[in-house]
């Protein structure tokens, strides 16, 4: 089984918790609290990831990135998105220079107009 199947299975579990009892499921509680609570957790985990990286502790970095990915997946589910879509976007970018990708986004931002 491929590694990306893990993300798909986790996304299925997260989605299955959407209607669960918020008193019995952490994910259900996040969904119940709504967008701000979910995004706050993503921000907290991003900050903890940065702090772990600054400490240079590889084990702690892995732990915090796993938390960040998990909470990012909850956010994806909240907005009706799947990790497979993120993987497709990463595949689309493969072979592009980061500078080229940034320039393309500036001239044609996703879902909006150029700034």
């Amino acid at each position: 089984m491929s590694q990306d199947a893990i993300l798909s299975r986790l996304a299925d579990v997260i989605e299955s918790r959407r209607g669960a009892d918020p008193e019995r499921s952490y994910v259900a509680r996040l969904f119940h609290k709504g967008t701000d609570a979910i995004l706050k957790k993503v921000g907290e985990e991003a900050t903890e990831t940065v702090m772990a990286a600054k400490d240079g502790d590889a084990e702690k970095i892995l732990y915090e990135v796993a938390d960040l990915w998990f909470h990012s997946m909850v956010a994806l589910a909240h907005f009706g998105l799947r990790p497979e879509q993120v993987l497709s976007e990463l595949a689309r970018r493969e072979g592009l220079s980061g500078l080229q990708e940034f320039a393309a986004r500036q001239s044609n931002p996703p879902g909006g107009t150029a700034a």
Side-chain angles (χ1 to χ4, degrees):
M1 187 170 285
S2 67
Q3 291 294 314
D4 58 331
I6 294 168
L7 296 177
S8 183
R9 287 193 318 268
L10 180 56
D12 291 342
V13 170
I14 289 169
E15 189 59 41
S16 76
R17 304 282 164 77
R18 183 183 293 277
D21 180 357
E23 296 299 317
R24 298 185 56 144
S25 166
Y26 173 72
V27 173
R29 187 176 309 145
L30 285 174
F31 281 133
H32 180 74
K33 289 181 177 180
T35 304
D36 287 347
I38 293 167
L39 298 180
K40 180 179 177 187
K41 282 305 296 180
V42 172
E44 287 174 7
E45 298 304 339
T47 299
E48 290 172 7
T49 298
V50 169
M51 291 169 54
K54 293 210 39 100
D55 290 344
D57 182 338
E59 187 175 321
K60 192 172 178 184
I61 293 167
L62 286 173
Y63 180 86
E64 295 301 344
V65 169
D67 281 353
L68 176 57
W69 283 18
F70 175 81
H71 287 90
S72 294
M73 288 182 63
V74 173
L76 285 171
H78 180 71
F79 291 104
L81 300 168
R82 299 271 311 173
E84 295 86 355
Q85 291 170 278
V86 176
L87 294 172
S88 292
E89 175 60 16
L90 290 171
R92 183 191 69 77
R93 295 179 187 188
E94 189 174 9
L96 288 178
S97 150
L99 295 175
Q100 289 172 320
E101 175 60 26
F102 181 75
R105 279 187 280 144
Q106 294 304 306
S107 64
N108 188 19
T113 58

